[in-house]
Amino acid sequence: MISYRLEATSGHARAGTIVTRRGDVPTPAFMPVGTQGSVKALSAQEVAATGARLQIMNTYHLWLRPGPERVAELGGLHEFCRWPYAIATDSGGFQAFSLAERTKLSEDGFEFASHLDGTRLKLTPEEAMRIQGLLGADIAMPLDVCPSGSASPAEVVAAVERTTRWAERCLVARSPGQALFGIIQGGANVELRLAHAETLGRLPFQGLALGGFSVGEPPALMHRALGEIGHRLDPNRPRYLMGVGTPEDLLIAVGAGIDLFDCVMPTRNARNGQAFTWSGKLTIKNARYRDDPLPLDPECRCSACRGGYSRAYLRHLFVAGEILVLRLLSEHNLTLYARLLEQARAAVVAGRYADFAAERLAVFRNLADTGDSG
Amino acid sequence: MISYRLEATSGHARAGTIVTRRGDVPTPAFMPVGTQGSVKALSAQEVAATGARLQIMNTYHLWLRPGPERVAELGGLHEFCRWPYAIATDSGGFQAFSLAERTKLSEDGFEFASHLDGTRLKLTPEEAMRIQGLLGADIAMPLDVCPSGSASPAEVVAAVERTTRWAERCLVARSPGQALFGIIQGGANVELRLAHAETLGRLPFQGLALGGFSVGEPPALMHRALGEIGHRLDPNRPRYLMGVGTPEDLLIAVGAGIDLFDCVMPTRNARNGQAFTWSGKLTIKNARYRDDPLPLDPECRCSACRGGYSRAYLRHLFVAGEILVLRLLSEHNLTLYARLLEQARAAVVAGRYADFAAERLAVFRNLADTGDSG
């Protein structure tokens, strides 16, 4: 089980600690995404060296391969993946909806065909809890219904109601000792979100998550909704914004009172050759870096930057298709994300979060312009 | 410049040291192949951690991209690639012949079209020396003519004679301070090889290399030829067998008096999921490893094996297409190669190389059976 300790606030922004039996997680915190039990291109030690102390892994993928029974027999995810710190797992519902084929949604759950071999599978709230219990994460997520950004108001309401019923079933079916967060839906409808937050807040979840953001809506809409919702979530529990986002998104969400994030962006963009730096984005394959002897970011502490790898060498590796560069850029981006939230935490403790966020946003605004908010 | 110190012999097997201004290289030694300035999937620190102290890089590839002038401006290969130890470069001739398109061979050199963009290029002995001088390797190789395994006797003789003339041109054109090895050709014709070794041995090369082995001939033919030739090469210079080979090949060649090797096999096979272990080969994607909690090789000191990664996890990563496993298997295989030659060296010093090689060969024979001797 986990607990949350609130330590300081600055406006709505919070500094706290999630206490787990696998160590403390200072918040706000970003969770690197280890989809299939590995943050792509990185070893567990390298992920830890970026500063991360909580990793999120993917129930859908690990269910299909290698299978939760196998993971359990091999000692659970921590032992299997050699990650000694805390792990969260999502419920698998999002992938059952977005990645699997011929998905049918009913009150019972999702029925779908595996994207790997077409096997017909069924994911119910109870099955999601059983799988996550076997995987052995510190924090599990309940099965929820996540409507798309273009869903009708009626569809959004129906999704909220079913998500509540499933949340209650997950609480009954949860594994002993495993923390469970409630997932708040409601799209961009702030009233609906707040009502759902109140409903779920009455249930014994260890944290509250905002699902269904960053599903195609304009970033400004999400930012506005977060400003209305974030600080109204129960202050005694960690608040998790699922699947978000850019450095700008993180700064705005922390200002709205959010504590926890996950997103594939820093690692996925790295593999596409994009580095986030303290002075803006850097697309390593650009010809302008051909002869550039500087590191990616002279202000960065990551092993790529401290190791003396020049932009010219990194560009060469990227253009030549060398695997090493995928790792170096991934380490760099995750380090920047972790450092950004460490700095945010320090600013909260110092009581100057608004100033800090305004300074950083001025730099990162051009990054958000990529429109790449996966 | 480099020097070679012979320290012990056991039969024809030798223990020695190649002294370079970037550190000593105890021999026999295996050179990991950093084709494009990076040993595929590994960082320079990881290559060093396997035990390697001499890396070979590829002149043809680095000539085309990023270009030797650029590498020179960025401080040379050591600085560019963050590899502080010794570097050898090949001449580029082999790739101009095997990889480039529409290659024409004349007394002057190779003319060919770049495999990247079709640009017409010309590689002469002088150009090979100029490029390698700019790259700044500690050990350069002269341009040579490497006949295929199916070449006629007359073609082999012509290749030997042209290789000699080119070797003399390379000695004239070499860069000051850069060591240069002579390359002995002659196919499987032992008399021709010995005559060529004598011719080149009279020239002021810092080492002698055997080129044109492992080009499609049966391994037993190479092993027999090495037994005739290896120990007859000048004992005062390091002896380098180019592009070879399996663990079995290495053991036999060391027994014949060879000091230095390079081959893509340990890293290429790793990327195809094959691990070399002290008890035979291991194909990680085999279903038998699905539930196997053991490391790749309990006897191994590499970071994959000491890091507690189970075969089950490595198999999962390989089947799931995760990049991390390519690195872990590459580290493992290069560590085994380095360790094998460290053990060979210790056996020479102890005066029991024949016994050591016989013991190891009994284990590795099944590896050589893969027929995968690239």
Side-chain angles (χ1 to χ4, degrees):
Chain A
M1 200 52 73
I2 67 158
S3 64
Y4 172 73
R5 188 170 67 227
L6 177 62
E7 288 158 348
T9 56
S10 172
H12 294 315
R14 297 152 35 108
T17 298
I18 299 174
V19 178
T20 83
R21 63 194 181 97
R22 291 196 173 82
D24 290 355
V25 183
T27 58
F30 180 83
M31 296 187 276
V33 182
T35 308
Q36 303 188 104
S38 167
V39 176
K40 289 193 190 302
L42 297 182
S43 72
Q45 293 99 305
E46 285 154 2
V47 175
T50 68
R53 286 298 175 271
L54 174 56
Q55 197 181 131
I56 188 161
M57 296 184 182
N58 192 284
T59 292
Y60 170 85
H61 284 283
L62 295 167
W63 179 30
L64 267 53
R65 188 174 58 193
E69 290 80 6
R70 177 164 291 127
V71 171
E73 271 166 38
L74 290 160
L77 275 183
H78 301 80
E79 171 68 19
F80 186 60
C81 304
R82 310 303 297 158
W83 172 256
Y85 304 108
I87 295 178
T89 41
D90 64 7
S91 70
F94 186 79
Q95 284 73 28
F97 201 76
S98 64
L99 191 58
E101 289 150 23
R102 293 175 282 133
T103 300
K104 285 197 294 193
L105 173 61
S106 73
E107 185 61 21
D108 202 29
F110 294 101
E111 281 192 78
F112 59 92
S114 159
H115 77 288
L116 294 178
D117 61 7
T119 307
R120 203 78 200 155
L121 292 165
K122 186 165 184 178
L123 187 61
T124 63
E126 291 75 16
E127 180 67 2
M129 289 296 95
R130 188 189 73 85
I131 296 166
Q132 292 180 80
L134 286 167
L135 293 175
D138 303 283
I139 300 172
M141 299 300 293
L143 197 66
D144 65 325
V145 183
C146 178
S148 79
S150 59
S152 71
E155 286 172 323
V156 175
V157 169
V160 164
E161 291 174 351
R162 182 168 280 162
T163 293
T164 302
R165 293 190 296 274
W166 285 5
E168 288 166 339
R169 285 166 59 185
C170 285
L171 280 167
V172 172
R174 71 193 295 180
S175 294
Q178 194 166 48
L180 189 64
F181 282 25
I183 302 180
I184 298 158
Q185 291 290 352
N189 182 330
V190 170
E191 296 310 306
L192 200 52
R193 288 264 182 193
L194 289 173
H196 200 209
E198 204 181 315
T199 304
L200 294 186
R202 284 193 294 267
L203 298 173
F205 290 113
Q206 278 69 50
L208 294 171
L210 293 168
F213 279 118
S214 200
V215 290
E217 79 282 10
L221 197 65
M222 173 177 78
H223 296 165
R224 209 155 43 229
L226 288 175
E228 298 288 327
I229 298 162
H231 66 280
R232 294 197 170 93
L233 301 176
D234 177 4
N236 300 311
R237 289 181 267 196
R239 301 158 172 173
Y240 164 28
L241 178 57
M242 301 177 77
V244 176
T246 64
E248 186 187 21
D249 291 335
L250 268 53
L251 287 165
I252 289 170
V254 168
I258 301 297
D259 306 304
L260 211 50
F261 303 89
D262 80 286
C263 192
V264 297
M265 179 177 282
T267 43
R268 194 193 54 193
N269 286 24
R271 297 196 306 284
N272 291 327
Q274 187 178 85
F276 294 92
T277 82
W278 294 109
S279 48
K281 71 182 173 187
L282 189 159
T283 303
I284 197 64
K285 74 179 170 202
N286 280 351
R288 61 188 289 199
Y289 300 119
R290 262 198 190 125
D291 299 298
D292 192 336
L294 289 177
L296 277 178
D297 190 340
E299 288 184 58
C300 179
R301 68 180 181 191
C302 83
S303 62
C305 291
R306 281 180 307 135
Y309 295 97
S310 65
R311 294 168 183 176
Y313 182 59
L314 295 170
R315 178 185 189 276
H316 165 66
L317 293 180
F318 191 82
V319 173
E322 288 289 344
I323 292 171
L324 176 60
V325 71
L326 308 181
R327 180 206 319 188
L328 294 172
L329 292 184
S330 297
E331 276 188 278
H332 173 81
N333 284 352
L334 282 183
T335 301
L336 183 134
Y337 269 61
R339 185 85 185 116
L340 180 67
L341 292 182
E342 281 169 29
Q343 291 178 350
R345 190 177 200 281
V348 171
V349 171
R352 56 176 302 276
Y353 184 75
D355 288 347
F356 164 78
E359 289 159 24
R360 285 296 184 202
L361 279 171
V363 174
F364 284 124
R365 278 253 141 82
N366 61 337
L367 280 174
D369 287 343
T370 61
D372 191 354
S373 59
Chain B
M1 201 51 73
I2 66 158
S3 64
Y4 173 74
R5 188 171 64 229
L6 177 62
E7 288 158 348
T9 56
S10 173
H12 295 314
R14 299 155 31 113
T17 299
I18 299 173
V19 178
T20 83
R21 63 195 182 97
R22 291 193 173 86
D24 289 355
V25 182
T27 58
F30 180 82
M31 296 189 276
V33 181
T35 309
Q36 303 187 102
S38 167
V39 176
K40 288 192 190 305
L42 297 182
S43 71
Q45 292 98 304
E46 285 155 0
V47 175
T50 67
R53 287 297 176 269
L54 174 57
Q55 199 181 129
I56 188 161
M57 296 185 182
N58 192 286
T59 291
Y60 170 85
H61 285 284
L62 295 167
W63 178 30
L64 267 52
R65 187 173 59 192
E69 290 80 6
R70 177 162 293 125
V71 171
E73 271 167 37
L74 289 160
L77 276 182
H78 301 79
E79 171 67 18
F80 185 61
C81 304
R82 311 303 297 157
W83 173 257
Y85 305 107
I87 295 177
T89 41
D90 64 7
S91 70
F94 187 78
Q95 285 74 28
F97 201 76
S98 63
L99 191 59
E101 289 151 22
R102 293 174 283 134
T103 299
K104 285 198 294 194
L105 173 61
S106 73
E107 184 61 21
D108 203 28
F110 294 101
E111 280 192 79
F112 59 92
S114 158
H115 77 288
L116 294 179
D117 62 5
T119 307
R120 203 77 200 156
L121 291 165
K122 187 166 182 176
L123 187 61
T124 63
E126 291 76 17
E127 180 67 1
M129 289 294 96
R130 188 188 73 85
I131 297 166
Q132 292 180 81
L134 285 167
L135 293 175
D138 303 283
I139 299 172
M141 300 298 293
L143 197 67
D144 65 324
V145 183
C146 177
S148 78
S150 59
S152 71
E155 286 172 324
V156 174
V157 169
V160 164
E161 290 174 352
R162 181 168 281 164
T163 293
T164 302
R165 292 190 296 273
W166 285 5
E168 288 166 340
R169 285 166 60 184
C170 285
L171 279 168
V172 172
R174 70 193 296 179
S175 294
Q178 193 167 48
L180 189 64
F181 282 25
I183 302 180
I184 297 158
Q185 293 290 352
N189 183 331
V190 169
E191 295 310 307
L192 200 51
R193 289 262 181 194
L194 289 173
H196 200 210
E198 203 182 314
T199 303
L200 294 185
R202 282 193 296 265
L203 297 174
F205 291 112
Q206 277 69 50
L208 294 171
L210 293 167
F213 279 117
S214 199
V215 290
E217 78 281 11
L221 198 65
M222 173 178 78
H223 297 165
R224 209 157 42 230
L226 288 174
E228 297 289 326
I229 298 162
H231 67 280
R232 294 198 170 92
L233 300 176
D234 178 4
N236 299 311
R237 288 182 267 196
R239 301 158 171 170
Y240 164 28
L241 178 58
M242 301 177 78
V244 176
T246 63
E248 186 186 19
D249 291 335
L250 267 55
L251 287 164
I252 290 170
V254 168
I258 301 297
D259 305 305
L260 210 51
F261 304 89
D262 80 288
C263 190
V264 296
M265 179 177 282
T267 43
R268 193 192 56 192
N269 286 25
R271 296 196 306 286
N272 292 326
Q274 186 177 87
F276 294 91
T277 81
W278 294 110
S279 49
K281 71 181 171 186
L282 188 159
T283 302
I284 197 63
K285 75 179 169 204
N286 279 352
R288 62 188 289 200
Y289 301 119
R290 260 195 193 129
D291 300 297
D292 192 335
L294 290 177
L296 276 178
D297 190 340
E299 287 184 58
C300 179
R301 68 179 183 192
C302 83
S303 61
C305 291
R306 280 181 307 135
Y309 295 97
S310 64
R311 294 170 182 173
Y313 182 60
L314 296 170
R315 178 185 188 275
H316 165 66
L317 293 180
F318 191 83
V319 172
E322 288 290 342
I323 292 170
L324 176 60
V325 70
L326 308 181
R327 180 206 320 188
L328 294 172
L329 292 184
S330 297
E331 275 188 279
H332 173 81
N333 284 352
L334 282 182
T335 300
L336 182 133
Y337 269 62
R339 185 85 185 114
L340 180 66
L341 292 182
E342 281 169 29
Q343 291 178 350
R345 191 178 199 280
V348 170
V349 170
R352 56 176 300 278
Y353 183 76
D355 288 348
F356 164 79
E359 289 159 24
R360 285 297 183 202
L361 280 170
V363 174
F364 284 124
R365 278 256 142 79
N366 61 337
L367 282 174
D369 286 342
T370 62
D372 190 356
S373 58

